[in-house]
């Protein structure tokens, strides 16, 4: 007699990825473990993990958007942006424009230069860029440290959603008020450039337009996605959103120092030194 083994439940998958995150270890991608595991199922798993994090005492402080840079899509087999919650435990507001970051809590970490937007009121659905900008009180440059709990960064889109959209940490630079950056901010967000530098060598140059045309366009995409997901809360006043990498993600190791130089927008660069 042949026995049929039931596929793991969404609860079981949520426990599996949460355990991998907590233990800094890697697991087989869910899309390899389970036929038919898709993005909607992955968001359901992510919601279960999110609820567990809140029960543990974490406080959700915003969202991250992943894969807004199409240059990343062919590298990782992803075709659309994804999103995840970020928490008070994973967001660091950097003082003095330089931060020392331990790599021990992360699996296969990479660095991404990004733009963070902070909201003083809830952004409306289907708003134009000017209306979205009116909801933002400050802008900052940041590094996101991303990671993969699937070996070798081999996964499909659904796996990344289940794994918190690969979020590890967000290192937020000095906030700059929208009032100070106006009136050219909207154009500058699309046109500015950023040099990503490691130990004195430029690794890549990115531009604001790399994230779906502009960080504001990436924000509009997220607002629309959240409106179509019944389980997702809309963005709220007081939240921040990091809008995706301006370059490709670059692997990092202990002993390296990375920094950025921004041109065309009045935001200071940021530096991070990685240690074990």
């Amino acid at each position: 007699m042949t026995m049929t083994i039931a596929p793991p439940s969404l609860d079981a998958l949520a426990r599996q990825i949460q355990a991998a995150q907590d233990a800094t270890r890697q697991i087989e991608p869910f899309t390899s473990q389970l036929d038919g595991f898709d993005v909607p199922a992955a968001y359901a798993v992510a919601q279960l993990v999110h609820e567990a994090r809140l029960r543990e005492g974490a406080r959700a402080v915003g969202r991250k958007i992943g894969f807004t840079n199409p240059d990343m899509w062919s590298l990782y087999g992803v075709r659309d942006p994804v999103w995840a919650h970020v928490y008070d435990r994973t967001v660091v507001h950097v003082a003095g424009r330089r931060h020392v970051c331990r790599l021990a809590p992360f699996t296969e970490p990479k660095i991404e230069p990004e733009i963070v937007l902070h909201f003083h009121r809830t952004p409306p659905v289907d708003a134009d860029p000017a209306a979205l900008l009116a909801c933002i009180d400050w802008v900052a440059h940041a590094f996101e440290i991303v990671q993969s709990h699937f070996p070798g960064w081999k996964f499909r889109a659904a796996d990344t959603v289940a794994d918190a959209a690969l979020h590890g940490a967000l290192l937020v630079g000095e906030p700059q008020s929208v009032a100070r950056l106006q009136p050219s901010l909207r154009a500058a967000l699309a046109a500015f450039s950023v040099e990503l530098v490691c130990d004195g060598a430029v690794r890549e140059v990115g531009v604001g337009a790399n994230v779906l045309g502009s960080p504001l366009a990436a924000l509009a995409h997220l607002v629309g996605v959240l409106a179509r997901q019944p389980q997702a809360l809309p963005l709220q006043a007081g939240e921040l959103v990091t809008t995706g990498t301006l370059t490709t993600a670059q692997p990092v190791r202990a002993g390296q120092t990375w920094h950025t130089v921004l041109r065309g927008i009045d935001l200071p660069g940021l530096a991070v030194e990685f240690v074990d």
Side-chain angles (χ1 to χ4, degrees):
M1 179 178 178
T2 302
M3 293 184 62
T4 301
I5 300 175
S9 67
L10 295 182
D11 285 309
L13 295 176
R15 289 192 297 271
Q16 187 180 159
I17 192 63
Q18 185 176 354
Q21 293 166 353
D22 291 345
T24 318
R25 62 179 176 84
Q26 294 177 311
I27 59 175
E28 183 183 1
F30 292 150
T31 52
S32 299
Q33 295 184 40
L34 185 62
D35 289 341
F37 186 76
D38 59 10
V39 168
Y43 275 115
V45 168
Q47 179 64 22
L48 291 170
V49 176
H50 172 62
E51 292 166 1
R53 296 296 182 207
L54 297 180
R55 289 194 298 271
E56 292 172 351
R59 182 170 61 89
V61 297
R63 324 289 173 103
K64 69 150 290 183
I65 319 175
F67 296 107
T68 51
N69 186 341
D71 289 343
M72 299 276 284
W73 293 356
S74 60
L75 293 175
Y76 300 111
V78 175
R79 290 293 176 266
D80 289 293
V82 299
W83 73 272
H85 293 279
V86 299
Y87 304 94
D88 56 344
R89 299 175 178 181
T90 64
V91 174
V92 177
H93 291 272
V94 176
R97 303 183 187 176
R98 186 179 182 91
H99 182 70
V100 177
C101 180
R102 291 183 61 246
L103 290 178
F106 308 113
T107 57
E108 292 194 72
K110 297 187 179 188
I111 191 170
E112 298 181 343
E114 309 208 358
I115 293 294
V116 173
L117 309 173
H118 183 269
F119 300 92
H120 66 93
R121 68 171 179 257
T122 299
V125 178
D126 297 328
D128 62 23
L132 288 175
L133 195 55
C135 300
I136 299 166
D137 55 355
W138 60 255
V139 179
H141 171 47
F143 284 133
E144 187 179 18
I145 310 305
V146 291
Q147 59 181 335
S148 174
H149 291 96
F150 312 109
W153 280 70
K154 302 296 184 184
F155 43 64
R156 297 182 181 176
D159 301 305
T160 72
V161 170
D163 191 15
L166 309 180
H167 177 65
L170 183 65
L171 313 178
V172 182
E174 182 180 327
Q176 305 295 312
S177 73
V178 167
R180 189 184 75 79
L181 296 173
Q182 292 282 36
S184 61
L185 177 58
R186 195 169 120 195
L189 282 169
F192 82 94
S193 67
V194 57
E195 289 184 359
L196 181 61
V197 183
C198 177
D199 293 335
V202 177
R203 289 292 184 90
E204 194 171 340
V205 178
V207 295
N210 282 351
V211 288
L212 297 184
S214 164
L216 287 175
L219 171 62
H221 175 86
L222 174 63
V223 171
V225 168
L226 294 176
R228 296 190 296 272
Q229 293 182 348
Q231 81 281 10
L233 290 174
L235 288 170
Q236 303 294 316
E239 285 195 77
L240 59 78
V241 170
T242 190
T243 52
T245 186
L246 300 157
T247 66
T248 57
Q250 298 286 327
V252 297
R253 57 180 173 79
Q256 292 177 330
T257 297
W258 293 73
H259 77 271
T260 47
V261 179
L262 284 75
R263 295 185 173 89
I265 192 169
D266 194 10
L267 295 177
L270 194 59
V272 57
E273 176 188 352
F274 291 104
V275 298
D276 288 327

